[in-house]
Amino acid sequence: MKLMLRKLSVNLLWLGDPKSFDVSLVGGKAANLSRLARLYHRVPDGFCIPVTVMDEAHPLDLRNDITASISDLMACHSLPDFIAAVRSSAVDEDGATASFAGQHETYLNIVGADAIIQAVTRCWESARSEHALEYRRQQGLSLERPQLAVLVQQLVASDVSAVVFSANPVTGSRDEIMINASWGLGESIVGGTVTPDTFIVRKSDLAITSRTIADKQNMTVSAPGGTHEVEVPRFLRAQASLNDEQVVEMAKLALTLEVTMEHPVDIECAYTGGELYLLQCRPITTLK
């Protein structure tokens, strides 16, 4: 936490609170980000709704808690409003063997306690979706009671988003960092609706050994109550989404996190207003 925030009720935990380091309580995504926020990485502030709440509370029971926490975050950061990213965080997500990438729901550009509660409910429901249950079946995980926490964070209005791998997932090389980057919010990259720019960085000296600048035709932007895809302005389509300094800064972040997490990492990050934010950090599960 950048500033001191009041103690939350048992239904919510601040991101960065040591209690939210517990994967069994807040899921893999939130636990990883909580630990890294505590180490003063630039992680957007927010709070977790633990897995215990999924079975015990009715959504409206959370309204007062969520309203109070939003007020605290607005006061903390002098915000006129709190614009949220509401993200699922399953207990067995972002682990060494199962990433759950794309299996559970994320809702962006959500404003107000009622809209956040609706998004939280839809995140819970996504734990029992057909494709999520099939993924669990393929991974040999229990289908009985999927446990899902929800992470509510301040939305980063990304100028550029990127997915960074601290080892090359295509060649398997542990000596290279791969960065995929494009304009706008990161949903267009992870959802595959844009061909991103690709940068390869050599770990030993952080030299950029390869740049492939794509024709980036679409990007995801905020829209009332969520997001939508728009066409990238023509003059930006063939322009590199990252300059060399930004590529190296992302590569350094990936190297630092690989050391911290003690394994190769797959991270999501974004630039807004020239500042680099860490949005997700998980193991690379596809390396040979």
Side-chain angles (χ1 to χ4, degrees):
M1 291 285 102
K2 297 171 183 67
L3 297 170
M4 289 300 292
L5 297 167
R6 82 177 96 174
K7 183 176 173 60
L8 290 178
S9 75
V10 292
N11 287 332
L12 305 180
L13 293 169
W14 288 123
L15 196 65
D17 182 327
K19 289 180 183 175
S20 62
F21 298 175
D22 184 349
V23 173
S24 68
L25 193 60
V26 299
K29 182 183 295 173
N32 286 345
L33 284 177
S34 278
R35 286 193 291 267
L36 295 171
R38 192 75 173 189
L39 293 172
Y40 300 104
H41 288 287
R42 193 180 286 115
V43 175
D45 274 345
F47 54 89
C48 308
I49 302 170
V51 296
T52 49
V53 179
M54 182 177 175
D55 294 321
E56 294 174 3
H58 299 289
L60 292 179
D61 295 343
L62 300 173
R63 196 181 193 290
N64 290 342
D65 295 337
I66 288 174
T67 300
S69 61
I70 289 171
S71 296
D72 271 12
L73 288 164
M74 287 170 60
C76 227
H77 299 289
S78 302
L79 301 172
D81 213 337
F82 183 73
I83 302 173
V86 181
R87 311 170 71 195
S88 305
S89 180
V91 165
D92 25 28
E93 182 175 356
D94 290 358
T97 58
S99 71
F100 276 85
Q103 299 303 314
H104 300 132
E105 294 300 330
T106 289
Y107 297 94
L108 304 180
N109 199 38
I110 306 301
V111 181
D114 290 334
I116 288 173
I117 287 168
Q118 289 176 13
V120 167
T121 303
R122 292 198 296 268
C123 285
W124 285 340
E125 290 169 351
S126 74
R128 299 185 177 94
S129 70
E130 267 309 308
H131 63 85
L133 291 175
E134 178 58 28
Y135 181 87
R136 299 184 70 85
R137 199 175 288 115
Q138 291 172 3
Q139 296 292 324
L141 300 170
S142 170
L143 304 180
E144 289 301 309
R145 247 178 97 246
Q147 292 187 295
L148 191 123
V150 181
L151 176 58
V152 180
Q153 289 177 281
Q154 183 180 352
L155 177 69
V156 172
S158 314
D159 301 316
V160 180
S161 298
V163 177
V164 186
F165 303 91
S166 70
N168 190 321
V170 177
T171 65
S173 172
R174 305 295 181 101
D175 301 321
E176 294 178 333
I177 295 163
M178 175 186 279
I179 300 171
N180 293 327
S182 193
W183 306 114
L185 299 171
E187 300 307 289
S188 56
I189 301 176
V190 298
T193 61
V194 69
T195 301
D197 297 337
T198 299
F199 304 88
I200 303 296
V201 180
R202 189 165 55 218
K203 277 184 175 176
S204 59
D205 58 0
L206 294 178
I208 302 169
T209 60
S210 171
R211 296 175 185 80
T212 305
I213 308 306
D215 179 22
K216 300 171 289 295
Q217 296 190 10
N218 301 310
M219 64 179 180
T220 307
V221 298
S222 295
T227 63
H228 69 263
E229 293 275 314
V230 299
E231 290 188 356
V232 172
R234 192 165 294 280
F235 77 96
L236 286 177
R237 290 182 184 180
Q239 183 176 315
S241 53
L242 297 172
N243 61 38
D244 287 3
E245 185 178 293
Q246 291 171 325
V247 170
V248 170
E249 185 177 14
M250 285 188 176
K252 285 180 177 177
L253 176 61
L255 277 177
T256 299
L257 294 175
E258 181 175 86
V259 171
T260 301
M261 305 297 283
E262 300 182 339
H263 49 64
V265 293
D266 161 0
I267 67 175
E268 293 177 24
C269 52
Y271 275 104
T272 184
E275 300 280 6
L276 179 60
Y277 285 84
L278 174 63
L279 306 180
Q280 184 156 329
C281 179
R282 58 191 176 204
I284 301 177
T285 58
T286 55
L287 286 178
K288 295 178 182 176

